[in-house]
Amino acid sequence: MELITWVVPVAGIAAVLFALYLARDVMSRDTGTPEMVAVGDTIREGADAFVKRQYTTIGVLALVGAVIIGLVIGIVETAEVADVESLAGPPIGILTAIAFLVGAACSMASGIIGMFVSVRSNVRTAAAARTSLVGAVQVAMRGGAVSGFLVVALSLLGVWGIFTAYETFIPGVGVEQAPFVIVGFGFGASFVALFAQLGGGIYTKAADVGSDLVGKVEAGIPEDDPRNAGVIADLVGDNVGDCAGRGADLFESTAAENIGAMILGVAAFAIAESAGWPNPEAWIFFPLVIRAFGLLATIVAMFFVRGSETENPMNILNRGYWVTTILSVAALGFVTYVMMDTAGTISNGLPVWVWFFFAGVVGLATSVVFVYITQYYTAGTFRPVREIAEASKTGPATNIISGTAVGFETTFVTAIAIGIALIASHWLGSQAGLVNAEGNDVGGIFGTAVATMGMLMTTAYILAMDTFGPITDNAGGVAEFSRAEAHTREITDRLDAVGNTTKALTKGYAIASASLAAFLLFSAYIDKVNLIIGNQIERGRTDIELLTSVNLADVGVFVAALIGAMLAYFFSSLAIRAVGKTAQSIIVEVRRQFREMPGIMDYTQRPDYARVVDITTRAALREMVAPGLVAVATPILVGLLLGYQAVAGFLMVGTISGVMLATVLNNGGGAWDNAKKYIEAGNLKDDAGNVLGKKTDAHAAAVVGDTVGDPFKDTAGPSLHVLVKLLATITLVLAPLFIR
Amino acid sequence: MELITWVVPVAGIAAVLFALYLARDVMSRDTGTPEMVAVGDTIREGADAFVKRQYTTIGVLALVGAVIIGLVIGIVETAEVADVESLAGPPIGILTAIAFLVGAACSMASGIIGMFVSVRSNVRTAAAARTSLVGAVQVAMRGGAVSGFLVVALSLLGVWGIFTAYETFIPGVGVEQAPFVIVGFGFGASFVALFAQLGGGIYTKAADVGSDLVGKVEAGIPEDDPRNAGVIADLVGDNVGDCAGRGADLFESTAAENIGAMILGVAAFAIAESAGWPNPEAWIFFPLVIRAFGLLATIVAMFFVRGSETENPMNILNRGYWVTTILSVAALGFVTYVMMDTAGTISNGLPVWVWFFFAGVVGLATSVVFVYITQYYTAGTFRPVREIAEASKTGPATNIISGTAVGFETTFVTAIAIGIALIASHWLGSQAGLVNAEGNDVGGIFGTAVATMGMLMTTAYILAMDTFGPITDNAGGVAEFSRAEAHTREITDRLDAVGNTTKALTKGYAIASASLAAFLLFSAYIDKVNLIIGNQIERGRTDIELLTSVNLADVGVFVAALIGAMLAYFFSSLAIRAVGKTAQSIIVEVRRQFREMPGIMDYTQRPDYARVVDITTRAALREMVAPGLVAVATPILVGLLLGYQAVAGFLMVGTISGVMLATVLNNGGGAWDNAKKYIEAGNLKDDAGNVLGKKTDAHAAAVVGDTVGDPFKDTAGPSLHVLVKLLATITLVLAPLFIR
């Protein structure tokens, strides 16, 4: 192993230690007034209860999944198809099952620890807000960063660890074989992410919608009022969805895309080896190393999260983001220069590494572009949100129509930006002159992989900003509950507004990375299929050919593509409906408490918050099963019925369709949310210039839009991110099943 | 030409004559009370004004389009690529432009005449409803059938006429060349349909939403109240959208799919010729003949539209539909037997024609399946609509969420049904053993073409049922306006409810035919591309290969596919936004009339209906330009930037995405509409068993859903049908432009 690859475990461990340091730092902070502590404890208890039940369920599902995967692979990966013949049958089944379990366990661990810190940071953020804005930002950001660092570090260490273990200890597994053998890790991560995001997404929005409907609409008490038994569930939900859910989502992204990039690196490895370049393995290790440097850049950036009391808190966070990005560009240059050592080969006028450096920069630039696209479409200062607010004047119907139009519109820049990024990084990569023994250029696809890795360098920081969201949201709830001083609430309100933006940005980032990675994961699937078919041909099979094209003009591929496009809608339909059903359980319980505990309304009786949390948890976990099963079963059925080429078409068009629909749901939901906030802030005026604020019909219309957007942007949209990556990992792992 | 092909002009002319007979019959009917005549005249004048302005605009656009197309084709279809070398350059440009103009003119003529009869049938239906339900059904259905027959007959005669003219009079154009030379006809039809559907769809929903908002919401007067100056525009709009718009939509379907099927027939022709089968031309003429028999079957079926006064009117219409379907099956058997004469060749145990007969039956069965799917999702008797109605109890937000979930859900059966139909008809066709000189099976794709043609046999009847919708809707308006007797209004209300169902069914049918045809049109595009490339290779070009696969794994194809998926959303966004802007113009004008003509409210002053109609017309035509341009420009840009293979991917995934989104919008909108009607009919009850009918909060919530659904189901959804077919015809015609 080259010296530079040691940076992987070093950076991974450093990030874990840094996360522990941040966690300690946060925990040592002031917890505020006794009232704050009491509310914080209630939220924490609810969250702990959810985490315990949720991860027990997911753990059991993952165990069952591992056994099934192990059996299936053990049966279908026979000596005829296995890459390492000595591992054919049960051994490869066991290795895959272990990789799956390790992936699942790492994802679960990062989710659990992140939640642990997140639900302890909220009360400390509220306490800090009593004295300082910057202090509160730092507590919330550090609490969020614990999640961010752990997710990325565990994903990095996990992939590196299982790769190194298999490569070192399993006979026959060299660097070229190992990336294929560890794909189970990505599948395990996807599997956990699917249920974490679905369960969390259903929980959070059911609690939100349910408690609002019964509290605000029926009982006529304000949002976040302590008399509403569903309010704690709502506060717990913020952590569950945005911290644990999005964490699992990006854990999966980094893991799966890392492994996919390593698979593509195998082709580059072969070229480097035959060209006699130094350290051909570097092409396979490159994704790990680049991510390690991304982690280091983020650690440095955390020290730049500072500013003045009078500043817009978003600027404070942006400062850190830009430091991460700029350091990442520098690191990208260094790593490509050192690792892509081609003994001085010049291709198209430039050294090989320069082409890939630019491809990586394309990825980093794409993430910046998406951050700004999301802001344009979901922040109140621009045309889309203002348009929705204006439409609210004529009632809820025009609000919804306008929001839908905005949501649909956002696909335009999204598709164009992704298209440009893919074509640019592919072109840059193809200029590097990596041509394999069969005369095919492999540099283009590797260029898209480098771009994806470049984009993922900033994941830890983005995720920290994301978890900043639920922490500040909760801090606001704590301040409200504990009837904190006005200036404290003012600060928590400002942070909450920033948190809304950062949560939206993370979704844009997650979508962009999923799209950019689609092409790479798809190519990895084709590599895997051709590895299997190549082995079959080598071992005497004559009725099969290498997959050189995924032909949409083939009726099976076309129908599979149609089903892929449908899946995004159908899955979303199930997820949205699950929110409705879960919300019903909450409504029934809160109504019961109002009825049977008459002291609640005059504050003489404390509502049974824990019972609502428990009921919501159980309902959410029950309701996540149907969409989860559909997500897992559809690719398998398509593969069994229509074959491996059709699966590729299914995967591609399913990904495109999922990305587009997620864009619509995330941005439409975000825009509705902020149109409501725009009106609440007094920005909407009638023809005579009077402010149309809270308690006007326009505001009521905007509340309808916000409620509609909730399950779109926090349940269905984020679950679609996970779905598209799950499709990629499941087909990658089960490829041997589809080739007959 | 074989004897049987004479059925084409005979059936076409017979259908035109029959339409004239029906029109005369309708016009000779009683026009009711003087009040009815007065209202009817007002609607008619408004519709005439719209038609005049709309078709003048479209005519000018079509002329410009024809000149541009002619120039582009004249420039790019050089001697190097032209199929008929003697026509290379300007001659082929002129022929294409003429075909484009004839297609545009036929589509416009059928739209104009259909509207002419439709707006004269409404008052006569209202008059007939004074004495008899069956009588009213017959007037409305015959009025609708005028449209139905004209659309299909003019499309049939147009394709046949231009085909025969070019084949007979243009030297070098034989039966194998003619289908390629007449593709301009399909593009002309698409071009007109795009603007007719967009303009009509924007007009109808802007008038609906605009007059409701200002009348019901602001002025507090009932829907369809004569004091509302926008009401006549609303009644005009029903004709404009459902009669003219859907007519143009299905004109395009029948024309484009017919030509596409003839292009695929060329491959079968070559096989038949080399096998020495009698009448090889029959494989090219088959689509025309099968459609001609469909027309004859529909003429017969019109005499079965009868029943008893106490019967559900839907049964009366269904009777005719089933007669059409059963006669079509018989005709399909006869035509395949006669035309697919393979001198007794048996393939896979059955005569060749039998395989294609079954493929055609698959098409007919698919249309029946879609009729029932649509009913399930949009009629009040089933789960989906009831679910939305229940969700209305907790307000507009849950109504919208539930309706969205239902809309998304409908993609499931749609995709599965289309998938099965495609695979089944492809498999049946592939059993027929049509293998070309290169050893490729062409029967499979021809099987999907036969299925599409089978499905299109019932188009005239379906379209008659569709136009029945606006006629009965208008009849209800006329009865309301003229304060007709209670029993008359009761009958018109019943017919209106049936009309809602038939309008929804037609959309389902249009979507199904567009999906089934997608594969065929796509294959025709590939045939055209290969014809061009084949000619280039023959004439010495060496740097190009035949297009044997549309490879999604190619980055250009993938990005094009992504743009295709985006286009459906972006185009819908523009269409939905256009409705909002046009509605604003109406609101401003109606408000002005209320303000400046104070006599309106106490009935002493007549509102200026014509001015609102005029303003709506102009606004709708202005607003249709942006989405129209996007639809036309995007495929051209993709083709120029990414090349001909990428265009194929764009076309396929754009079609899939458009079909799925149209399904969501049409069915979601229909379900919202009927959830409102379900509540109005007193079917929703609270927990205590009390009816939650009109004027309850639940009803208000359902009205929001209905209003949201309006632009979805009547503007964006139907415009997407047209979009997907336009993509097919535009790429087919401009293929030479994309090959460089």
Side-chain angles (χ1 to χ4, degrees), chain A residues 30 80 83 86 101 160 175 199 296 304 342 350 371 396 441 494 512 573 607 622 721:
Chain A
D30 174 29
E80 199 198 16
D83 195 29
S86 59
L101 279 180
W160 176 81
V175 281
L296 296 177
F304 289 83
T342 54
L350 286 172
V371 164
D441 175 77
R494 280 175 69 189
S573 169
R622 192 173 57 238
H721 308 169

Side-chain angles (χ1 to χ4, degrees), chain B residues 197-270:
Chain B
Q197 179 67 66
L198 269 175
I202 294 168
Y203 182 102
T204 178
K205 287 306 122 173
D208 193 349
V209 172
S211 63
D212 276 8
L213 282 176
V214 75
K216 275 201 293 197
V217 180
E218 292 186 14
I221 56 178
E223 206 172 323
D224 282 353
D225 189 292
R227 289 171 292 179
N228 187 335
V231 160
I232 292 292
D234 187 7
L235 289 169
V236 169
D238 294 328
N239 295 291
V240 158
D242 286 309
C243 174
R246 195 91 57 260
D249 178 0
L250 287 177
F251 183 96
E252 177 195 13
S253 289
T254 53
E257 292 157 21
N258 188 335
I259 295 172
M262 291 175 92
I263 288 180
L264 298 183
V266 171
F269 165 83

Side-chain angles (χ1 to χ4, degrees), chain A residues 31-41 123 126-127 130 478-479 482 484-485 488:
Chain A
T31 54
T33 64
E35 291 82 9
M36 286 184 174
V37 175
V39 186
D41 284 351
V123 61
R130 296 171 70 206
V478 169
S482 61
E485 311 86 327
T488 306

Side-chain angles (χ1 to χ4, degrees), chain A residues 370 411-423 511-512 514-516 518-519 552 652-661 663, chain B residues 552 554-570 634 638 642 646 649-654 657:
Chain A
F370 267 83
T411 57
F412 180 77
V413 277
T414 303
I416 300 296
I418 295 169
I420 290 175
L422 275 176
I423 289 184
I511 271 291
S515 322
L516 204 53
F519 202 67
L552 258 181
M652 282 315 252
V653 177
T655 301
I656 290 175
S657 173
V659 164
M660 289 290 105
L661 187 56
T663 301
Chain B
L552 258 180
D554 178 275
V555 72
V557 176
F558 180 71
V559 171
L562 183 68
I563 294 172
M566 172 272 282
L567 180 61
Y569 287 108
F570 186 59
T634 310
V638 168
L642 300 171
F650 166 81
L651 172 57
M652 282 316 251
V653 177
S657 173

Side-chain angles (χ1 to χ4, degrees), chain A residues 209 213 217-218 383 387 394-398 400-402 404-406 408-409 411-416 418-420 422-423 426 445 448 515 518-519 522-523 526 548-559 561-563 565-570 572-573 576-577 580 584 587 591 642 648-649 652-653 655-657 659-661 664-665 687 703-705 707-709 711-712, chain B residues 209 213 217-218 383 387 394-398 400-402 404-406 408-409 411-416 418-420 422-423 426 445 448 515 518-519 522-523 526 548-559 561-563 565-570 572-573 576-577 580 584 587 591 642 648-649 652-653 655-657 659-661 664-665 687 703-705 707-709 711-712:
Chain A
V209 172
L213 282 176
V217 181
E218 291 185 16
R383 191 258 308 159
E387 193 174 289
T394 38
T398 39
I400 299 293
I401 291 173
S402 172
T404 306
V406 166
F408 283 7
E409 187 192 321
T411 57
F412 180 77
V413 277
T414 303
I416 300 296
I418 295 169
I420 290 175
L422 275 176
I423 289 184
H426 193 276
I445 284 170
T448 69
S515 322
F519 202 67
F522 178 63
S523 306
I526 295 183
T548 54
S549 145
V550 178
N551 186 9
L552 258 181
D554 178 276
V555 72
V557 175
F558 181 72
V559 169
L562 183 68
I563 294 172
M566 173 272 282
L567 180 62
Y569 287 108
F570 186 58
S572 300
S573 169
I576 291 171
R577 187 166 284 146
Q584 278 304 322
I587 291 173
R591 272 188 197 149
L642 300 172
M652 282 315 252
V653 177
T655 301
I656 290 175
S657 173
V659 164
M660 289 290 105
L661 187 56
V664 169
L665 297 173
D687 292 344
V703 169
V704 171
T707 311
V708 168
F712 288 9
Chain B
V209 172
L213 282 176
V217 180
E218 292 186 14
R383 189 261 307 161
E387 194 173 288
T394 37
T398 41
I400 300 292
I401 291 172
S402 171
T404 305
V406 166
F408 283 6
E409 185 192 323
T411 57
F412 180 76
V413 278
T414 302
I416 299 295
I418 295 169
I420 291 176
L422 274 177
I423 288 184
H426 193 275
I445 284 170
T448 68
S515 325
F519 202 67
F522 178 63
S523 306
I526 295 183
T548 53
S549 145
V550 179
N551 186 10
L552 258 180
D554 178 275
V555 72
V557 176
F558 180 71
V559 171
L562 183 68
I563 294 172
M566 172 272 282
L567 180 61
Y569 287 108
F570 186 59
S572 300
S573 168
I576 292 171
R577 187 166 284 149
Q584 278 303 324
I587 291 174
R591 270 187 198 153
L642 300 171
M652 282 316 251
V653 177
T655 301
I656 290 174
S657 173
V659 164
M660 289 292 105
L661 186 57
V664 169
L665 296 173
D687 292 345
V703 168
V704 171
T707 310
V708 169
F712 287 10

